[in-house]
Amino acid sequence: MPEVSRFFGIIIAMYYNDHTPPHFHVRYGKQKAIIEIETLSVLEGKLKPRTLGLVIEWAAQHQAELQRNWDLARQQAPLNKISPLE
């Protein structure tokens, strides 16, 4: 699973040829979640409120880049790194 960003110990990744809707995977310690790109809603898993807040803040700033990476992943193309939350 290619890592596309990392900040404050939070890892953001995407799988190639993953199921729809377009989404990304989040790991932080033992916490894991899948977040839909368009709505920024949690599809699966659970994150603590502070972690989820940071992830949503980051994703809102990078929605277009996340969607481009989703499209690349569907084509089996290399994914672009996305700037971390600062």
Side-chain angles (χ1 to χ4, degrees):
M1 173 168 40
E3 183 179 308
V4 296
S5 192
R6 181 186 294 242
F7 51 91
F8 306 124
I10 300 167
I11 299 167
I12 308 294
M14 288 185 169
Y15 286 111
Y16 287 100
N17 281 329
D18 210 349
H19 60 85
T20 56
H23 62 274
F24 59 92
H25 295 254
V26 180
R27 289 178 305 182
Y28 181 64
K30 293 185 179 187
Q31 301 172 58
K32 293 182 183 181
I34 297 173
I35 309 291
E36 184 176 358
I37 294 169
E38 184 177 340
T39 64
L40 301 181
S41 60
V42 177
L43 296 174
E44 189 177 306
K46 187 170 181 176
L47 299 172
K48 291 184 179 178
R50 183 174 183 279
T51 305
L52 180 60
L54 291 170
V55 169
I56 298 304
E57 180 182 349
W58 172 84
Q61 295 173 13
H62 299 285
Q63 266 180 301
E65 292 167 273
L66 286 163
Q67 185 60 54
R68 278 194 296 276
N69 268 348
W70 175 265
D71 295 338
L72 289 170
R74 300 291 283 180
Q75 299 167 24
Q76 298 292 313
L79 304 184
N80 299 313
K81 292 288 185 184
I82 301 176
S83 300
L85 186 65
E86 297 178 13

